[in-house]
Amino acid sequence: MNFLAHLRPQNTDQRIFMAFVGLVLAAVVAVISLDSVAWLALPLVVLGVAVVLIDWRWVYYALLITLAFSREVQLPAGLSMDVPSEPLMLILLVCFTINVLLGRSEVPGRLWRHPIVLLIGAALLWSVASTISSVDTLKSVKYLLAKTWYIVPFVFVTMALVRTPRDVWRLVAFYAVGVSITVAYTMVRHAGLGFGFDTINTAIQPFYRNHVVYAAAAALLAPYAYYAARDAATKQSRRLWYVALVLAVGGVSLSYTRASVLSLIVAVLYYWVIRLRLTRLTLIGATIATLLGINYFVHGDTYMKYAPDYEKTVFYGDNFQKHLEATYNLEDLSGMERVYRWVAAAHMITEKPIIGSGPSTFYPEYKRYTVTSFRTYVSGNPEKSTTHNYFLLQLAEQGIPGFVLFTSLVFATLLLIERLYHRARSTQQQNLVMAAGLSFVVIVFHLLLNELLEVDKIGSFYYVSLAVLMRVQFWQEDEQDQLLPIAPPQP
């Protein structure tokens, strides 16, 4: 009896080990009795799940480093999924949910009450309301699911894993490795094709859908790489970050993507907006200019005066200089096709201003609202792309409430960036704020001309930047609490 009692597991570690041994023996018995070697995989699967549930960091880092290599895979019913990124996001969603239920999510409780998180949550809830009346419920439900497994890994898991400034640079490093490899690969291929304007979309294959996604991924990395180099602890790491910066800027420059080149210029200018505390003035000015512009184009159907000449609106695929000239003269094919979609979106908004057509339903719904005068050679839209303006997309698909919630989130974040920068008590904090803030600005600028927030390579760092900014805010609040004088005891 004493011998048997001695064999009984004495603690949790021993019980787990004996349970795993029992599982292995059960798998062996199943192999023998059922004559199927596949049962040997059962202990490995259980072990893998246990490791993931206990320490999910490596799943998160694997997600970041593979983002640049993920590819879109078509699914039944006209749906698609980015692989391997979205399956990894789904794993992290499950892991995080289980850990929240077990009470060990390691996310600060105050995060749930943060204005940015509340705005994200309100926008997601409104998407649910918009889905109820969607013109294509299946697409809208897929949008809701995808949005959930974007938000949880890149906001909440990021918050759980980022404990120190070094953790931020570490997670960015994983993303930077993937992007840098694909940029170097693209440059080599592009060089073999003569660095032609008409060959960039060939050079980026198979990792990027088009040159806009490629350039945007490189552009959003640039602020992080620059400030990580400034904050590097060793010369070697500083050199590596500068290599990533050169590759990022070089990738943007040779991508022939106007929006991405302009986004880096805007980021430099916005640095001074933050430094000079001009964010509020900038946002007010941008809002007034937008309202005046809308009033000008809508009043008396003035927008019809800018309808393109169908025969003259062409794409100069082999000459970037002519491409820029056509843009200036309103004869550029891609630019005028944007206007074609924007006009259709405006008509969609007037019909369903509150609830919209439903998330992820702009294509092909917009075709019923197009104006023939703005049609171009590519209006057939074989890529099934949408508005090329994410703010308009929100208005068309989710109505005025969806647009207001999204715009409020952008404005609140831009104001937070300025506030955090000027409250920072160290250069390291300022570097973190500028890195996340200017990367956020780069992404938002792209959203004015493209719909990239649902692209895994771009949307991921939109949310990561939000998480980093909130984490810096919590560090600053903790520092402030430590500096507060302790009240003397009451007599």
Side-chain angles (χ1 to χ4, degrees), residues 347-396:
H347 285 88
M348 290 177 67
I349 294 163
T350 57
E351 183 169 309
K352 295 182 178 180
I354 303 301
I355 203 70
S357 63
S360 197
T361 60
F362 185 82
Y363 181 91
E365 185 69 8
Y366 81 96
K367 292 192 174 184
R368 299 196 296 113
Y369 300 89
T370 57
V371 175
T372 307
S373 301
F374 288 86
R375 189 167 54 91
T376 68
Y377 284 104
V378 294
S379 293
N381 194 8
E383 291 184 352
K384 299 181 180 181
S385 55
T386 61
T387 56
H388 291 298
N389 182 299
Y390 198 80
F391 294 86
L392 262 180
L393 184 66
Q394 292 297 295
L395 269 169

XYZ file of all heavy atoms in Angstrom, residues 347-396:
408
model
N -24.206 58.477 -53.983
C -25.601 58.147 -54.254
C -26.099 57.028 -53.327
O -27.281 57.033 -52.931
C -25.769 57.733 -55.717
C -25.721 58.887 -56.673
N -24.553 59.360 -57.214
C -26.704 59.696 -57.166
C -24.805 60.393 -58.012
N -26.110 60.621 -58.000
N -25.237 56.090 -52.970
C -25.620 55.060 -52.015
C -25.955 55.669 -50.655
O -26.907 55.267 -49.985
C -24.488 54.039 -51.853
C -24.259 53.149 -53.054
S -22.833 52.030 -52.829
C -23.456 50.964 -51.516
N -25.160 56.668 -50.254
C -25.351 57.308 -48.951
C -26.699 58.024 -48.889
O -27.405 57.970 -47.877
C -24.195 58.290 -48.679
C -22.880 57.520 -48.531
C -24.466 59.112 -47.416
C -21.650 58.395 -48.676
N -27.072 58.691 -49.968
C -28.339 59.424 -49.959
C -29.534 58.486 -49.846
O -30.579 58.868 -49.318
C -28.488 60.276 -51.240
O -28.383 59.429 -52.391
C -27.395 61.336 -51.293
N -29.392 57.244 -50.317
C -30.517 56.297 -50.247
C -30.608 55.635 -48.873
O -31.710 55.412 -48.354
C -30.377 55.226 -51.326
C -31.551 54.251 -51.343
C -31.548 53.367 -52.583
O -31.439 53.910 -53.692
O -31.667 52.149 -52.428
N -29.455 55.290 -48.268
C -29.451 54.644 -46.947
C -28.476 55.374 -46.032
O -27.395 54.863 -45.716
C -29.059 53.172 -47.067
C -30.058 52.330 -47.845
C -29.619 50.867 -47.863
C -30.643 50.012 -48.593
N -30.231 48.571 -48.622
N -28.816 56.581 -45.602
C -27.850 57.395 -44.836
C -27.583 56.898 -43.423
O -26.534 57.207 -42.864
C -28.515 58.783 -44.809
C -29.980 58.494 -44.931
C -30.076 57.305 -45.822
N -28.489 56.149 -42.834
C -28.325 55.741 -41.433
C -27.715 54.349 -41.311
O -26.688 54.166 -40.645
C -29.683 55.783 -40.690
C -30.295 57.177 -40.791
C -29.490 55.387 -39.217
C -29.428 58.286 -40.224
N -28.307 53.382 -41.938
C -27.878 52.000 -41.723
C -26.891 51.511 -42.772
O -26.135 50.566 -42.561
C -29.108 51.065 -41.678
C -28.788 49.769 -40.923
C -29.631 50.769 -43.074
C -28.603 49.959 -39.455
N -26.849 52.146 -43.954
C -25.943 51.730 -45.014
C -26.374 50.420 -45.670
O -27.396 49.827 -45.325
N -25.574 49.964 -46.610
C -25.893 48.719 -47.321
C -25.448 47.480 -46.559
O -25.847 46.369 -46.893
C -25.236 48.725 -48.710
O -23.815 48.769 -48.586
N -24.610 47.669 -45.523
C -24.105 46.533 -44.745
C -22.606 46.378 -44.924
O -22.071 46.661 -46.007
N -21.887 45.954 -43.888
C -20.434 45.788 -43.980
C -20.019 44.861 -45.112
O -20.645 43.829 -45.342
C -20.063 45.188 -42.611
C -21.168 45.604 -41.697
C -22.395 45.620 -42.544
N -18.991 45.284 -45.837
C -18.373 44.482 -46.891
C -19.320 44.204 -48.064
O -19.214 43.172 -48.724
C -17.874 43.154 -46.320
O -16.963 42.532 -47.185
N -20.229 45.150 -48.349
C -21.201 44.936 -49.435
C -21.087 45.974 -50.546
O -21.927 45.988 -51.447
C -22.645 44.963 -48.880
O -22.892 46.241 -48.272
C -22.869 43.864 -47.874
N -20.096 46.860 -50.482
C -20.004 47.909 -51.500
C -19.953 47.313 -52.899
O -20.608 47.803 -53.823
C -18.778 48.782 -51.242
C -18.673 49.954 -52.182
C -19.386 51.117 -51.949
C -17.862 49.901 -53.310
C -19.299 52.204 -52.819
C -17.761 50.974 -54.174
C -18.484 52.130 -53.922
N -19.124 46.262 -53.062
C -19.097 45.537 -54.343
C -20.027 44.329 -54.236
O -19.915 43.558 -53.277
C -17.681 45.064 -54.687
C -17.629 44.330 -56.007
C -17.376 45.016 -57.178
C -17.880 42.965 -56.072
C -17.359 44.346 -58.395
C -17.867 42.299 -57.279
C -17.608 42.986 -58.436
O -17.600 42.333 -59.654
N -20.929 44.128 -55.155
C -21.183 44.882 -56.386
C -22.332 45.886 -56.257
O -22.833 46.369 -57.267
C -21.540 43.769 -57.360
C -22.318 42.796 -56.512
C -21.674 42.851 -55.143
N -22.772 46.168 -55.017
C -23.932 47.016 -54.803
C -23.784 48.385 -55.466
O -24.755 48.958 -55.970
C -24.176 47.185 -53.298
C -25.423 47.954 -52.914
C -26.720 47.206 -53.232
O -26.646 46.016 -53.619
O -27.787 47.823 -53.118
N -22.545 48.932 -55.480
C -22.347 50.291 -55.988
C -22.690 50.446 -57.464
O -22.972 51.556 -57.940
C -20.892 50.725 -55.756
C -19.904 50.222 -56.780
C -19.528 51.015 -57.865
C -19.343 48.953 -56.677
C -18.613 50.564 -58.804
C -18.435 48.490 -57.608
C -18.070 49.295 -58.670
O -17.167 48.836 -59.602
N -22.655 49.339 -58.204
C -22.863 49.429 -59.652
C -24.258 49.937 -60.007
O -24.464 50.462 -61.102
C -22.602 48.061 -60.296
C -21.133 47.643 -60.225
C -20.822 46.449 -61.087
C -19.328 46.153 -61.095
N -18.960 45.055 -62.000
N -25.200 49.794 -59.080
C -26.553 50.306 -59.338
C -26.627 51.825 -59.188
O -27.624 52.437 -59.545
C -27.553 49.664 -58.371
C -27.645 48.151 -58.482
C -28.885 47.600 -57.813
N -28.894 47.827 -56.372
C -29.755 48.631 -55.747
N -30.645 49.324 -56.444
N -29.725 48.757 -54.435
N -25.557 52.422 -58.625
C -25.589 53.854 -58.317
C -24.577 54.661 -59.129
O -24.377 55.839 -58.868
C -25.317 54.068 -56.823
C -26.323 53.394 -55.927
C -26.128 52.079 -55.505
C -27.456 54.055 -55.497
C -27.049 51.446 -54.674
C -28.382 53.440 -54.668
C -28.170 52.132 -54.268
O -29.088 51.509 -53.445
N -23.916 54.026 -60.071
C -22.881 54.731 -60.829
C -23.486 55.738 -61.810
O -24.643 55.616 -62.221
C -22.011 53.737 -61.617
O -22.849 52.955 -62.468
C -21.245 52.820 -60.669
N -22.668 56.726 -62.171
C -23.055 57.730 -63.167
C -22.216 57.480 -64.411
O -20.977 57.513 -64.356
C -22.827 59.157 -62.639
C -23.125 60.194 -63.716
C -23.703 59.404 -61.412
N -22.856 57.223 -65.528
C -22.167 56.824 -66.757
C -21.118 57.838 -67.192
O -20.076 57.469 -67.749
C -23.189 56.629 -67.888
O -24.210 55.731 -67.449
C -22.521 56.062 -69.127
N -21.339 59.107 -66.916
C -20.406 60.163 -67.342
C -19.015 59.978 -66.753
O -18.030 60.467 -67.311
C -20.952 61.531 -66.939
O -22.218 61.762 -67.525
N -18.904 59.286 -65.616
C -17.621 59.116 -64.948
C -16.985 57.758 -65.248
O -15.958 57.416 -64.667
C -17.794 59.279 -63.426
C -18.050 60.703 -63.010
C -19.332 61.222 -63.002
C -17.006 61.531 -62.627
C -19.575 62.535 -62.626
C -17.237 62.843 -62.247
C -18.524 63.353 -62.250
N -17.579 57.001 -66.139
C -17.077 55.670 -66.452
C -15.704 55.733 -67.120
O -15.427 56.636 -67.916
C -18.075 54.947 -67.354
C -17.777 53.471 -67.594
C -18.998 52.810 -68.220
N -19.406 53.530 -69.430
C -18.966 53.240 -70.657
N -18.094 52.261 -70.822
N -19.409 53.923 -71.691
N -14.840 54.748 -66.793
C -13.504 54.658 -67.384
C -13.319 53.265 -67.997
O -14.202 52.406 -67.903
C -12.399 54.904 -66.342
O -12.392 53.815 -65.400
C -12.643 56.207 -65.584
N -12.136 53.045 -68.563
C -11.848 51.773 -69.205
C -11.830 50.598 -68.231
O -12.006 49.449 -68.641
C -10.487 51.833 -69.921
C -10.519 52.591 -71.223
C -9.993 53.881 -71.317
C -11.066 52.027 -72.374
C -10.008 54.583 -72.513
C -11.093 52.718 -73.581
C -10.565 53.999 -73.646
O -10.591 54.686 -74.832
N -11.607 50.859 -66.931
C -11.503 49.764 -65.950
C -12.715 49.705 -65.031
O -12.667 49.093 -63.974
C -10.211 49.899 -65.112
C -8.992 49.715 -65.977
C -10.170 51.235 -64.383
N -13.814 50.342 -65.429
C -14.996 50.365 -64.572
C -15.673 49.001 -64.446
O -16.574 48.831 -63.624
C -16.002 51.400 -65.083
O -15.478 52.711 -64.923
N -15.233 48.039 -65.247
C -15.739 46.678 -65.080
C -15.331 46.090 -63.742
O -15.961 45.176 -63.225
N -14.209 46.607 -63.182
C -13.727 46.253 -61.843
C -13.519 44.746 -61.650
O -14.139 44.118 -60.785
C -14.695 46.791 -60.778
C -14.094 46.768 -59.380
O -12.919 46.486 -59.194
N -14.921 47.066 -58.397
N -12.639 44.135 -62.443
C -12.385 42.694 -62.284
C -11.743 42.343 -60.937
O -11.860 41.215 -60.475
C -11.428 42.384 -63.446
C -10.769 43.697 -63.763
C -11.812 44.737 -63.505
N -11.067 43.326 -60.285
C -10.448 43.072 -58.981
C -11.470 43.075 -57.849
O -11.156 42.709 -56.719
C -9.388 44.139 -58.689
C -8.165 44.062 -59.576
C -7.108 45.075 -59.174
O -7.406 45.934 -58.297
O -6.001 45.002 -59.699
N -12.689 43.519 -58.119
C -13.752 43.606 -57.114
C -13.353 44.522 -55.959
O -13.664 44.255 -54.794
C -14.127 42.220 -56.595
C -14.658 41.288 -57.672
C -15.044 39.942 -57.107
C -15.575 39.027 -58.213
N -15.983 37.701 -57.703
N -12.651 45.601 -56.278
C -12.239 46.549 -55.250
C -13.386 47.492 -54.915
O -14.428 47.484 -55.583
C -11.016 47.345 -55.721
O -11.277 47.977 -56.956
N -13.190 48.316 -53.880
C -14.305 49.136 -53.402
C -14.070 50.619 -53.688
O -13.606 50.981 -54.752
C -14.554 48.881 -51.912
O -13.401 49.237 -51.153
C -14.872 47.422 -51.665
N -14.314 51.488 -52.706
C -14.366 52.928 -52.967
C -13.023 53.591 -53.199
O -12.950 54.664 -53.757
C -15.004 53.655 -51.771
O -14.264 53.319 -50.589
C -16.446 53.273 -51.597
N -11.931 52.992 -52.692
C -10.623 53.651 -52.665
C -10.666 54.891 -51.761
O -9.931 55.850 -51.984
C -10.142 54.020 -54.068
C -9.800 52.825 -54.908
N -8.799 51.940 -54.583
C -10.337 52.370 -56.068
C -8.724 50.995 -55.499
N -9.649 51.224 -56.397
N -11.529 54.850 -50.771
C -11.558 55.858 -49.704
C -12.306 55.224 -48.539
O -13.528 55.030 -48.616
C -12.240 57.145 -50.157
C -12.222 58.224 -49.074
O -12.768 58.052 -47.988
N -11.588 59.342 -49.375
N -11.589 54.925 -47.459
C -12.191 54.145 -46.380
C -13.269 54.929 -45.635
O -14.218 54.346 -45.116
C -11.106 53.692 -45.401
C -11.552 52.547 -44.528
C -11.548 51.246 -45.018
C -11.992 52.751 -43.222
C -11.965 50.183 -44.230
C -12.409 51.695 -42.430
C -12.389 50.417 -42.942
O -12.826 49.366 -42.171
N -13.129 56.250 -45.576
C -14.131 57.069 -44.900
C -15.456 57.024 -45.672
O -16.534 56.867 -45.077
C -13.636 58.512 -44.765
C -12.447 58.644 -43.851
C -11.153 58.460 -44.322
C -12.616 58.947 -42.503
C -10.059 58.572 -43.487
C -11.533 59.067 -41.657
C -10.250 58.882 -42.145
N -15.377 57.151 -46.999
C -16.572 57.030 -47.824
C -17.151 55.621 -47.750
O -18.374 55.434 -47.773
C -16.238 57.359 -49.278
C -16.552 58.778 -49.782
C -16.142 58.904 -51.232
C -18.026 59.109 -49.605
N -16.277 54.636 -47.668
C -16.730 53.253 -47.570
C -17.572 53.048 -46.314
O -18.597 52.364 -46.346
C -15.529 52.310 -47.570
C -15.849 50.808 -47.559
C -16.534 50.410 -48.857
C -14.579 49.985 -47.350
N -17.124 53.642 -45.201
C -17.893 53.535 -43.959
C -19.265 54.177 -44.114
O -20.275 53.639 -43.648
C -17.126 54.211 -42.814
C -15.852 53.501 -42.413
C -16.116 52.111 -41.865
O -16.727 51.927 -40.827
N -15.640 51.102 -42.582
N -19.316 55.330 -44.770
C -20.593 56.008 -44.999
C -21.525 55.159 -45.857
O -22.716 55.021 -45.559
C -20.353 57.352 -45.681
C -20.167 58.572 -44.776
C -19.685 59.760 -45.593
C -21.458 58.910 -44.046
N -21.005 54.585 -46.927
C -21.839 53.817 -47.852
C -22.306 52.501 -47.241
O -23.464 52.099 -47.435
C -21.060 53.546 -49.145
